Every structure is written in structure tokens, then in C-alpha cells.
Amino acid sequence: MEKAKLETVARMLVDAQRLVVLTGAGMSKESGVPTFREAHDGLWARYDPTSLATPGAFRRNPKLVWDWYTYRRELIAGSAPNPGHHALVALEDLLPQVVIVTQNVDGFHQQVGSSDVICLHGNIQENKCFDDCQGKPTLVDISRLEWDAETGPPTCPYCRQALVRPNVVWFNETLPVAVLERAQQLSQDCDVMLVIGTSGVVYPAAYLPMIAHQSGATVLEINPSPSGISQIAVQRLAGGSGELLPLIVDLIRQLKST
Ligand code: BV8
């Protein structure tokens, strides 16, 4: 990556008063967590995740979907946030406002201590009643349940009817209203949006950079490949976020000290 491009992006970030950072699966790639569209290793290579992450798939074959989430939870448990996640925490000491809006469900931003994280699509570590029988969401602590995991997910301990499912937003499910509204408002109000590691094909998350752009914000991108966001980004740094973010934060620190 040529230094001049990094310096250009650092100079666009150093004076940001209201920065929004939108992250996707690419943010966790250097932690060893496969991105959403990349073929998962082994058993899951033959399934398209967008056909597993749906309420219909869960109704049709709860064990298959539950096992896919168990596999992903184990993958995440065996991984760790990478230097890119830590760099975003360091950015909070350099800029007046940094809000992370993430599409990721791995919990890594929260784990490293980012202070304001909006999870658009939920949290893979949490489970809930499929029917939200006690209200939205009816969280269930499965560590307190006894069930035969060979049969798939447990039954909700409250209603004893519906099955327990991961507390994530599936395709064809609406995002929590308050979460989406806050993300949209922040995208409208930000002066800079840094978009990291997303293909920009899943909506309504992919609308957020467009909202920022139409509101006059500077949109920047870190992604090794062009994405659905690239055409509205004034700069795309073609590299890995785990490698580039620490370099950018160092440059911002230098600019701040001169
Ligand atoms: C909804 C949780 C209303 C589950 C996920 C228009 C408007 C509204 C809706 C739609 C619309 N058009 C279509 C829809 C429907 C649908 C949709 O968007 N479909 C797509 C496939 C076209 N949207 C929905 O259903 C949403 N709900 O709209 O409600 C509604 C209600 C009823 C009926 C209709 C509509 C809900 C969407 C949420 C789905 N849940 N996750 C789980 O994780 O199991 S989405 C999932 O995929 C991820 O969370 C993520 O958000 C998403 C996209 O993945 P990315 O993060 O972008 O990752 P991807 O692999 O695609 O790309 C990785 C990128 O990283 C690449 O660009 C790569 O180059 C880059 N990269 C690689 N290495 C690195 C890197 N970058 C940096 N560093 C590296 N080292």
C-alpha cells in the first residue's frame, strides 16, 4: 500500500467530528473468521449461508441451522479480535466521536472495548425463543438447559412450545426498529463514514453509506476488493483492515501531535 494513499485517508479522518465506522465480515477475516460469502471450510462449503440464515430454513430443518451456528460459534470462540479491532478503540482517544455500526454478529468490537457499538444483525453468542414468547427478544441462557444436542436446538423453557434460536437477524426478518433508526440517524449526521470489509450487498445496512453520502459526508473504504460501496467512496484503501487500520491510526496520531 503506497504511503501517500494512507496519508490522504489519515488527513480525511483527523478532523472528523462525528465519525461513523460501518463494519462487515471483512473486519474479522484477519481473526480467522471466514467472511459471509466465502465458502466456509468443510461441511458448510456446500451450503449458501443466505439459504441457512432464514426463519424458513430453521423451520424446515432446525437441527441443520442450529448445527451451522454451533460450528460458527466454535469458530469465533477459537478466534480473537485482530489489530484492526484494537485500532478502532485507539481512534476513540484521537477523535471526538467514534460510533461503530457493525453487521457482524461475532461480538469482537464489544470484546476489545469499543465504547459505542450498534449491532445491526444481533449477537451470535445469544439465544432467544423463536416466538419471543415473553417479549422482544425473549433471551434464553442455554447453559442452564439440559437437552439432547443430537436432536438440534432446545425447546424454549418459558413457553415450552417454540424452539430456541440464535439472537441474530435472519434474511427476511426486520432489524430491531430502534437499532436501525439510530444507525440511520448517525449516518445522516456524520461528517465522515469509514466503511470496512463489507461487500455492500445486504440491505438495509448497505443503504447507510448512501445516506451518509447524500447528507454530504465523506465516505472512505477499506477493502481489498471493490464493493457495492466503492462508487460512492472518495478513497478505497485496497488492503486488509487488520494491517491498514493500525497504520492509519499511527498517522492520525502523528498529525495530531504536529
Ligand atoms: C430486511 C446475521 C425487511 C445472521 C445477516 C432492499 C431493502 C431491504 C431489504 C432487502 C432489499 N433487497 C433485498 C432485501 C432482503 C435482504 C437482503 O439484503 N438480501 C440480499 C442478499 C440481497 N435483507 C434482509 O432480509 C434484511 N431484512 O430487509 O427486513 C424485510 C422483511 C421481510 C421481507 C423482506 C424485507 C435482513 C438482513 C440481515 C441478514 N443477516 N447476518 C448471521 O450472521 O448468521 S447478513 C450477513 O451478510 C452479515 O451479517 C452481513 O451483514 C451480510 C453481508 O456480509 P458482509 O459483512 O458484507 O460480508 P461479505 O462476505 O459479503 O463481504 C466481505 C467483504 O470483506 C468483501 O467485500 C471482501 O472483499 C472484504 N474483505 C475480505 N478480507 C478483508 C476484507 N475487508 C477488509 N479486510 C480484510 N482482511
Side-chain angles (χ1 to χ4, degrees), residues 24-27 29-30 35-37 50 53 68-69 72 103-105 121 168-175 196-204 207 222-225 227 239-241:
M27 185 78 212
K29 176 81 181 294
E30 286 148 282
T35 62
F36 214 79
R37 271 161 194 72
T50 55
W68 183 53
Y69 279 90
R72 289 175 61 197
Q103 301 174 81
N104 299 338
V105 295
H121 298 153
V168 297
V169 179
W170 278 333
F171 289 97
N172 299 328
E173 289 188 322
T174 51
L175 279 62
I196 304 171
T198 182
S199 55
V201 298
V202 170
Y203 290 85
Y207 278 137
I222 298 177
N223 193 325
S225 316
S227 73
S241 45

Side-chain angles (χ1 to χ4, degrees), residues 45-258:
R46 66 175 186 276
Y47 292 102
D48 166 11
T50 55
S51 65
L52 280 172
T54 73
F58 185 78
R59 281 197 197 92
R60 280 189 302 277
N61 192 336
K63 177 169 169 37
L64 174 68
V65 176
W66 182 259
D67 289 352
W68 183 53
Y69 279 90
T70 302
Y71 158 73
R72 289 175 61 197
R73 284 165 171 159
E74 285 163 1
L75 208 61
I76 290 164
S79 312
N82 63 60
H85 295 97
H86 292 282
L88 291 180
V89 178
L91 210 46
E92 295 187 20
D93 297 331
L94 297 167
L95 299 179
Q97 180 184 313
V98 178
V99 182
I100 313 281
V101 178
T102 188
Q103 301 174 81
N104 299 338
V105 295
D106 54 34
F108 282 171
H109 289 301
Q110 302 90 303
Q111 196 175 317
V112 293
S114 282
S115 60
D116 192 352
V117 182
I118 298 176
C119 296
L120 295 175
H121 298 153
N123 184 337
I124 201 168
Q125 307 304 351
E126 295 176 345
N127 292 286
K128 68 170 194 171
C129 168
F130 188 91
D131 289 347
D132 281 327
C133 62
Q134 310 295 312
K136 272 187 179 291
T138 298
L139 295 181
V140 174
D141 176 357
I142 59 172
S143 67
R144 303 160 65 92
L145 301 181
E146 300 261 319
W147 85 98
D148 175 6
E150 276 311 300
T151 61
T155 303
C156 170
Y158 300 108
C159 64
R160 300 186 187 289
Q161 307 253 324
L163 290 174
V164 172
R165 54 162 283 182
N167 186 28
V168 297
V169 179
W170 278 333
F171 289 97
N172 299 328
E173 289 188 322
T174 51
L175 279 62
V177 174
V179 167
L180 181 57
E181 280 176 356
R182 180 162 186 245
Q184 289 168 330
Q185 191 58 56
L186 283 161
S187 302
Q188 206 151 352
D189 298 344
C190 70
D191 52 351
V192 182
M193 178 179 279
L194 175 59
V195 183
I196 304 171
T198 182
S199 55
V201 298
V202 170
Y203 290 85
Y207 278 137
L208 298 175
M210 292 181 209
I211 293 172
H213 176 67
Q214 283 157 4
S215 306
T218 300
V219 177
L220 305 167
E221 184 179 26
I222 298 177
N223 193 325
S225 316
S227 73
I229 312 292
S230 302
Q231 72 269 25
I232 58 168
V234 291
Q235 287 287 340
R236 174 171 70 91
L237 294 178
S241 45
E243 177 212 341
L244 296 181
L245 278 168
L247 299 176
I248 293 167
V249 170
D250 283 345
L251 287 168
I252 291 173
R253 201 172 275 120
Q254 288 167 34
L255 288 168
K256 283 268 180 202
S257 62
T258 51

